[in-house]
Amino acid sequence: MDYALLREFAMRPRAQEETVSYLAEKLSHFVRRMDSVLICLPNQEPGSLSHLMEQAVLLCEGVPVTWGQDHRWVSLLRLAFSSRVSAIVSTPLIALGLSKLQNYYSIPLFIRDVVTAGYPCEEWMIEGLCRGFDCHPRGCLSVGTTGIVAGFSCEKHHGVHIRDDLYQVEIVDEKGVPVPEGEAGEMVISWKGRPETRYAMGENARLFTGRCQCGSYAPLLMDIVPGRTEADADLRKLGNALQSWNSVLDCRIGRSPHGLELELITLPGGRLPELPTVAKQVIRPLNPETDAPFFYDPTQKIRKNPETAIDF
Ligand SMILES: [Zn+2]
Ligand SMILES: [Zn+2]
């Protein structure tokens, strides 16, 4: 279970080249010459997934547009609009947030394809993306932000086909014992060149083998969801329920000695979800001057009585 070793593997020039050509082949199904592709992934160092995606887009003769320094939500919307992007590669919640913003500001984006990476794209997120963009959603199985891409969406299912020439994925129970085919458990990935390096991804999924409807024989991962951090499973569920609303752009939920603390950034005008009783609750409309996705600044604490907030 060694992330450092996987990372070391990912940083080899050969591994990077292979990843770029693998991604370019996947992107070539929908990225055409001069198409702008918006890339919104947190880590932009050399060798990161963001960096390799840029190269893959260039191989398809597309134009990579990387969301960089200015991480405010409005800068994302402006960039997507001014670059006339036709596809976005992003963590699912950033892409979902962008779709809510375009509707809220009535700024038409023409995003036809969404590739999610860096975080499992759950069923409700896929539905939200399809509603928001009228797009074809795809997913990329990335390992953290190492630049390792262990699989890509099947064209027929919501599942992901493992890149089984290089990687092996096993589904195991809490004791680390492989579960029968099709059963849910934790995903463990290993690089075939060094099978003793096994990395537990902290995500759960089901694995299917045999011939897929799309014609591929590569193992198919279905129902990939965050797992392991069971202590926070209830918080994640609540966060999901809130963020599935168009009126909720962003939210964060934390535990304090007093109980749950909740902060919602809303897009005013819409109906708000019913909220649970929590120790502290901040609900405030998007401040376009300052608000960036919480994801980009997880250290920022929930604000105390900001002027614009309704604080209970
Ligand atoms: Zn292909
Ligand atoms: Zn398939």
Side-chain angles (χ1 to χ4, degrees):
M1 308 207 185
D2 197 330
Y3 190 70
L5 276 176
L6 269 181
R7 194 173 156 73
E8 183 195 304
F9 164 67
M11 289 306 288
R12 294 179 324 152
R14 180 95 189 96
Q16 295 191 14
E17 270 167 43
E18 278 170 1
T19 306
V20 170
S21 50
Y22 174 78
L23 287 173
E25 194 281 319
K26 299 299 177 194
L27 297 182
S28 70
H29 291 251
F30 56 92
V31 175
R32 278 166 284 273
R33 214 176 108 76
M34 299 305 284
D35 277 354
S36 291
V37 179
L38 181 59
I39 300 170
C40 314
L41 297 168
N43 175 359
Q44 293 165 1
E45 288 162 30
S48 65
L49 182 57
S50 177
H51 182 227
L52 301 182
M53 274 293 179
E54 284 172 11
Q55 296 175 54
V57 171
L58 287 171
L59 270 188
C60 297
E61 299 187 70
V63 181
V65 177
T66 306
W67 186 34
Q69 299 296 309
D70 182 351
H71 273 147
R72 290 172 307 157
W73 282 109
V74 286
S75 99
L76 175 64
L77 182 61
R78 273 192 208 119
L79 187 62
F81 180 72
S82 63
S83 316
R84 308 184 64 84
V85 295
S86 62
I88 175 173
V89 180
S90 161
T91 53
L93 285 178
I94 297 290
L96 196 57
L98 180 60
S99 79
K100 293 175 186 175
L101 285 172
Q102 78 156 0
N103 292 331
Y104 178 68
Y105 286 109
S106 302
I107 291 182
L109 301 179
F110 300 98
I111 294 179
R112 301 182 306 252
D113 296 280
V114 176
V115 178
T116 63
Y119 193 84
C121 191
E122 299 176 60
E123 211 53 43
W124 70 270
M125 297 173 182
I126 295 175
E127 282 161 20
L129 288 170
C130 290
R131 262 204 319 273
F133 282 130
D134 189 18
C135 65
H136 186 153
R138 296 177 170 85
C140 170
L141 182 67
S142 50
V143 181
T145 52
T146 52
I148 285 185
V149 174
F152 204 87
S153 276
C154 167
E155 290 282 325
K156 298 270 180 198
H157 288 283
H158 281 172
V160 168
H161 280 298
I162 303 299
R163 206 185 152 189
D164 63 348
D165 54 335
L166 286 181
Y167 302 103
Q168 185 183 351
V169 173
E170 293 166 276
I171 305 295
V172 300
D173 63 18
E174 313 85 71
K175 296 188 193 100
V177 180
V179 301
E181 170 156 345
E183 276 184 29
E186 182 166 11
M187 283 162 58
V188 175
I189 186 169
S190 50
W191 167 38
K192 284 186 168 176
R194 198 189 258 164
E196 67 280 11
T197 307
R198 295 168 84 240
Y199 177 66
M201 296 177 66
E203 287 159 10
N204 291 356
R206 302 169 196 278
L207 188 67
F208 297 90
T209 56
R211 188 175 188 275
C212 177
Q213 275 175 293
C214 72
S216 170
Y217 282 92
L220 182 71
L221 279 173
M222 297 286 288
D223 306 320
I224 304 173
V225 290
R228 195 144 50 126
T229 49
E230 272 309 304
D232 289 333
D234 52 338
L235 296 194
R236 190 170 58 78
K237 222 170 138 192
L238 174 60
N240 286 351
L242 296 175
Q243 276 182 308
S244 66
W245 286 67
N246 284 335
S247 53
V248 176
L249 177 63
D250 207 357
C251 88
R252 61 177 154 185
I253 309 164
R255 284 184 212 280
S256 78
H258 315 288
L260 286 189
E261 298 189 348
L262 172 71
E263 181 169 1
L264 286 192
I265 306 294
T266 64
L267 296 170
R271 221 156 54 84
L272 282 177
E274 220 171 281
L275 296 171
T277 316
V278 293
K280 187 161 103 192
Q281 174 172 297
V282 177
I283 304 170
R284 58 186 184 84
L286 172 71
N287 179 349
E289 297 302 317
T290 55
D291 282 327
F294 290 136
F295 177 77
Y296 276 92
D297 188 8
T299 58
Q300 193 187 320
K301 289 271 179 285
I302 292 180
R303 295 173 186 210
K304 274 189 187 153
N305 299 315
E307 282 167 51
T308 51
I310 311 162
D311 203 344
F312 297 86

